């Protein structure tokens, strides 16, 4: 596995012209490193985590008193992915480009009585999901924040393969338009124990200390082998360590799920091996 990073350095509009040449001095552009500038931000991509250039940029931004954020991505060999027992699955998100994405505004009812008293997140869905179903496009499984939507084809594949850890709820188009095939909400029922926090890099800047939302995971998922003694095929993380806002539980699947979906030509955005130590 190789680790790459993007570093965003935040400055001010008035100071950025002074900062850019100083940061450029730290960079060799031999390894496909890219530097882009914005009105109050410098973005450096394709850095190798831990090497001299990476360390130099962090050190210089600290010396200049500038706030920086690190976004890590990881590349795995086919062998590493094939040998993984558990995988962090990410799905395509075709609904992000739709005008209407809030399922509550489209008619889904929620119970707010169990929401977090501090941050207000955590409403419970109490009716079947109403969405702009046309947004599914040609995907067989997709992310509709914060839910997972599947086609009838995918539902049948999962059920016929005997995959465990999930159940299905009906999904309806908010305009009751005819669809190529029926859609369902994939509801994951298996929750894994807590991650091995001390071995991971997690950003807690806007973290809610009551419900764990709004922390952002900046490294791969790591679990203590002694704690993950049993698991289903479909699992959710205990934590809400999503991408961006950090209000999503991670979908962690068995290797069997990956094999079944690949065999039946059901595409996901990516699989990342979960580390057990």
């Amino acid at each position: 596995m190789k680790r790459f990073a993007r570093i965003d350095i935040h400055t001010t509009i008035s100071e950025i012209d002074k900062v850019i040449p100083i940061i450029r001095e730290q960079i060799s552009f031999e390894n496909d490193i890219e530097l882009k500038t914005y009105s109050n931000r410098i973005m450096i991509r394709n850095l190798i985590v831990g090497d001299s250039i990476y360390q130099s940029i962090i050190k210089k931004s600290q010396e200049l008193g500038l706030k920086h954020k690190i976004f890590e991505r990881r590349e795995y060999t086919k062998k590493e992915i094939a040998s993984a027992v558990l995988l962090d699955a990410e799905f395509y998100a075709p609904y992000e480009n739709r005008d209407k994405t809030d399922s509550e505004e489209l008619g889904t009812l929620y119970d707010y009585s169990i929401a977090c008293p501090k941050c207000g997140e955590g409403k419970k869905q109490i009716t079947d999901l109403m969405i702009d179903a046309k947004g599914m496009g040609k995907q067989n499984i997709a992310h509709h924040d914060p839910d997972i939507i599947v086609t009838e084809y995918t539902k049948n594949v999962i059920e016929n393969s005997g995959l465990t850890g999930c159940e299905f709820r009906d999904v309806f188009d908010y305009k009751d338009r005819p669809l190529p095939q029926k859609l369902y909400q994939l509801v994951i029922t298996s929750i894994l124990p807590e991650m091995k926090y001390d071995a991971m890099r997690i950003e807690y800047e806007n973290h809610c200390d009551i419900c764990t939302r709004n922390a952002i995971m900046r490294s791969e998922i790591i679990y203590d082998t002694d704690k993950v003694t049993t698991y289903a095929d479909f699992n959710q993380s205990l934590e809400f360590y999503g991408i961006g806002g950090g209000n999503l539980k991670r979908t962690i699947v068995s290797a069997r799920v990956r094999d079944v979906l690949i065999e039946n030509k059901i595409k996901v955005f990516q699989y990342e091996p979960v580390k057990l130590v």
Side-chain angles (χ1 to χ4, degrees), residues 12 23 32 35 42 62-63 92 112 157 195 240 261:
T12 61
I23 297 301
D32 298 321
L35 184 147
I42 302 170
Q62 290 172 338
E63 289 175 355
Y92 289 100
Y112 280 84
V157 166
M195 298 175 188
F240 292 84
L261 296 188

Side-chain angles (χ1 to χ4, degrees), residues 136 138-141 149-161 163 168 180-184 186 259-267:
M136 191 72 173
K138 295 182 179 180
Q139 299 298 328
N140 276 303
I141 184 167
I149 309 300
V150 300
T151 58
E152 188 166 31
Y153 170 72
T154 302
K155 174 179 179 288
N156 290 339
V157 166
I158 291 171
E159 291 179 332
N160 293 338
S161 301
L163 298 177
F168 300 92
Q181 59 178 310
K182 185 165 175 51
L183 299 180
Y184 295 88
L186 187 150
D259 294 343
V260 167
L261 296 188
I262 290 174
E263 181 182 349
N264 289 277
K265 297 180 172 56
I266 299 170
K267 296 180 180 180

Side-chain angles (χ1 to χ4, degrees), residues 13 51 77 86 118 149 172 200 214-215 234 240-241 261:
I13 295 174
D51 77 354
T77 64
L86 292 172
K118 182 174 181 180
I149 309 300
F172 296 96
M200 298 169 59
N214 293 317
F234 284 94
F240 292 84
Y241 292 169
L261 296 188

Side-chain angles (χ1 to χ4, degrees), residues 47-245:
L47 295 163
I48 298 173
V49 173
D51 77 354
S52 59
I53 298 173
Y54 173 90
Q55 299 288 358
S56 179
I57 291 171
I58 293 175
K59 181 179 179 182
K60 185 57 66 174
S61 65
Q62 290 172 338
E63 289 175 355
L64 295 171
L66 300 174
K67 184 178 179 181
H68 70 272
K69 284 192 174 183
I70 302 171
F71 303 85
E72 182 180 303
R73 66 178 176 87
R74 295 157 293 281
E75 290 185 2
Y76 297 84
T77 64
K78 291 182 179 179
K79 183 178 180 180
E80 287 173 324
I81 294 175
S83 63
V85 176
L86 292 172
L87 301 111
D88 180 15
E90 290 187 28
F91 307 108
Y92 289 100
Y95 293 96
E96 287 184 353
N97 297 320
R98 306 295 286 184
D99 292 333
K100 295 182 181 294
T101 58
D102 189 322
S103 55
E104 187 168 15
E105 291 181 359
L106 298 178
T108 310
L109 299 181
Y110 294 87
D111 177 7
Y112 280 84
S113 66
I114 61 170
C116 175
K118 182 174 181 180
C119 70
E121 296 284 349
K123 60 187 180 183
K124 180 182 179 182
Q125 180 186 333
I126 57 175
T127 62
D128 290 329
L129 201 62
M130 300 285 287
I131 64 172
D132 179 2
K134 291 285 188 180
M136 191 72 173
K138 295 182 179 180
Q139 299 298 328
N140 276 303
I141 184 167
H143 178 238
H144 182 287
D145 186 9
D147 307 301
I148 301 170
I149 309 300
V150 300
T151 58
E152 188 166 31
Y153 170 72
T154 302
K155 174 179 179 288
N156 290 339
V157 166
I158 291 171
E159 291 179 332
N160 293 338
S161 301
L163 298 177
T164 61
C166 66
E167 57 191 26
F168 300 92
R169 294 184 66 161
D170 289 328
V171 171
F172 296 96
D173 179 65
Y174 79 111
K175 288 185 176 180
D176 198 26
R177 293 169 293 189
L179 302 171
Q181 59 178 310
K182 185 165 175 51
L183 299 180
Y184 295 88
Q185 179 182 2
L186 187 150
V187 180
I188 297 175
T189 57
S190 173
I191 308 297
L192 293 177
E194 65 180 29
M195 298 175 188
K196 191 173 177 59
Y197 308 133
D198 59 355
M200 298 169 59
R201 188 162 64 83
I202 301 168
E203 187 177 300
Y204 290 105
E205 183 177 345
N206 299 310
H207 176 242
C208 176
D209 54 9
I210 294 180
C211 71
T212 77
R213 289 175 175 85
N214 293 317
I216 301 176
M217 195 172 62
R218 300 298 191 196
S219 66
E220 72 272 33
I221 293 174
I222 302 175
Y223 282 105
D224 189 326
T225 307
D226 294 337
K227 291 184 178 180
V228 185
T229 53
T230 59
Y231 52 85
D233 290 311
F234 284 94
N235 309 272
Q236 274 189 337
S237 63
L238 178 67
E239 302 84 0
F240 292 84
Y241 292 169
I243 300 168

